[in-house]
Amino acid sequence: MVERYIDETGKKLFVILSYSAGGVQPRLLGEDRFDQVLIDYLKTRAYPWVDLREEHVAEFETFDLDADAYLKRYYIGHYAPVGNFFCAWAVKHKLVEWLDPKPQAYRDRD
């Protein structure tokens, strides 16, 4: 339905997969994804998407913390301010790449 809507209206779609701490923790502990079918589907689509859980996994690997301590940095039941910053930073590059025209600060200089 969403794809039909964006086709009919000329809108664009940018997907952000966001998860609670309980959704991130199993991946930090090395468990398989419960939503691999969704990821496989998104890989076949033309619109951009960002998976914040995998962004957390990549960052977690740079820390010397256990999963609980890592998650306490970012979540207070929902994202804490540092979690909001993490989200914005994780999305920024894909979002800028997608925008046309790009914001002035991200345009190539002639």
Side-chain angles (χ1 to χ4, degrees):
M1 289 177 14
V2 170
E3 288 179 341
R4 186 173 61 236
Y5 173 78
I6 62 175
D7 287 342
E8 291 172 357
T9 62
K11 304 277 185 187
K12 294 182 178 183
L13 179 64
F14 187 96
V15 176
I16 300 173
L17 301 177
S18 180
Y19 302 87
S20 66
V24 173
Q25 187 174 33
R27 289 292 294 145
L28 297 181
L29 299 175
E31 293 182 22
D32 291 336
R33 299 187 68 104
F34 67 85
D35 58 351
Q36 188 61 52
V37 171
L38 174 61
I39 298 304
D40 294 342
Y41 173 78
L42 288 172
K43 288 178 179 179
T44 70
R45 312 322 296 166
Y47 40 81
W49 57 280
V50 175
D51 181 357
L52 293 178
R53 182 172 38 208
E54 293 308 308
E55 296 289 331
H56 276 295
V57 170
E59 185 186 49
F60 176 66
E61 291 173 356
T62 69
F63 281 78
D64 187 20
L65 294 173
D66 63 36
D68 287 334
Y70 173 83
L71 291 169
K72 284 180 186 174
R73 296 173 47 91
Y74 296 102
Y75 291 93
I76 53 173
H78 51 78
Y79 267 148
V82 72
N84 290 326
F85 181 81
F86 174 87
C87 175
W89 194 256
V91 170
K92 179 183 73 121
H93 296 292
K94 268 249 170 112
L95 183 61
V96 168
E97 177 182 300
W98 177 62
L99 292 174
D100 185 24
K102 295 184 181 349
Q104 187 68 40
Y106 295 94
R107 293 183 190 166
D108 292 331
R109 299 184 195 268
D110 295 327

